Amino acid sequence: MSKLAVYPGSFDPITLGHLDIIERALDVAPRLQVVVVHNPSKQPFFTLPERVQMVTDALIERGLIGPVTVDSLESGLLTSYAAKLGANVLIKGFRTGVDIEYELPMAKVNRDLTGIETIFLPSDPANTHISSSLVKQVASLGGEITKYVPAAVIRGFKAKA
Ligand code: PNS
């Protein structure tokens, strides 16, 4: 069993799907570091500090801070970050085969770089349709997003309005 796992992502914003993966990752590793990563190929709606704050607040609301910690990665390789931390596994969630096609090359390159393994957790069927991009689209058009995101994210959108 791994001692420390890293769960990276853009989390723009964190959704109930991400939170489900975080809770279930604790069955794989006793400690999990969630890392909010700046992904230069994406134009984020929320800033990196805003995303870190929403992830932290959502984890506090669920009583998960302790076994789960939150950090951010502005630049540099995820594998170097994980190695410095002493983490021996990456956690990724996937909803469909499309996610796997996107994630699999990254898992292989990350393993090439430092030997770190990636564990894929399938999303709960109840969350398969939830994505950060759909949440942003619905929210920007005035739709209801409470079924998809934690309260911290609702507050985050209100603060940006
Ligand atoms: O939520 P996302 O945007 O799909 O997450 C992708 C992310 C941030 C995990 C990925 O882009 C990443 O690991 N970025 C860090 C830089 C890095 O190590 N790149 C090489 C990946 S093989």
Side-chain angles (χ1 to χ4, degrees):
M1 190 188 200
S2 54
K3 293 186 214 80
L4 174 63
V6 165
Y7 178 36
S10 295
F11 302 107
D12 184 40
I14 188 166
T15 67
L16 296 185
H18 294 129
L19 283 167
D20 174 59
I21 296 295
I22 290 170
E23 285 181 336
R24 288 163 50 209
L26 291 175
D27 292 334
V28 176
R31 288 193 303 127
L32 180 74
Q33 176 107 316
V34 179
V35 189
V36 183
V37 180
H38 169 65
N39 184 347
S41 60
K42 288 182 178 173
Q43 184 61 46
F45 178 75
F46 291 103
T47 66
L48 201 56
E50 285 169 345
R51 286 180 267 153
V52 169
Q53 191 62 57
M54 288 186 289
V55 172
T56 305
D57 290 349
L59 293 174
I60 290 170
E61 280 162 17
R62 277 175 170 66
L64 289 170
I65 290 287
V68 186
T69 46
V70 186
D71 193 12
S72 61
L73 181 62
E74 181 91 49
S75 62
L77 281 172
L78 180 67
T79 47
S80 308
Y81 172 89
K84 243 183 253 167
L85 206 65
N88 57 340
V89 70
L90 300 175
I91 299 286
K92 294 285 185 94
F94 73 97
R95 292 160 298 189
T96 64
V98 175
D99 284 345
I100 285 285
E101 274 194 31
Y102 168 68
E103 293 289 350
L104 210 47
M106 287 198 276
K108 289 175 180 172
V109 168
N110 285 334
R111 185 162 174 262
D112 280 345
L113 289 169
T114 61
I116 196 162
E117 296 286 4
T118 300
I119 294 180
F120 289 101
L121 298 180
S123 74
D124 187 281
N127 298 328
T128 305
H129 58 304
I130 304 176
S131 70
S132 298
S133 46
L134 266 184
V135 163
K136 282 180 283 192
Q137 193 181 119
V138 172
S140 72
L141 297 171
E144 184 60 61
I145 54 165
T146 47
K147 280 201 292 194
Y148 309 132
V149 293
V153 171
I154 307 284
R155 293 196 297 275
F157 275 111
K158 282 191 181 141
K160 294 281 256 191

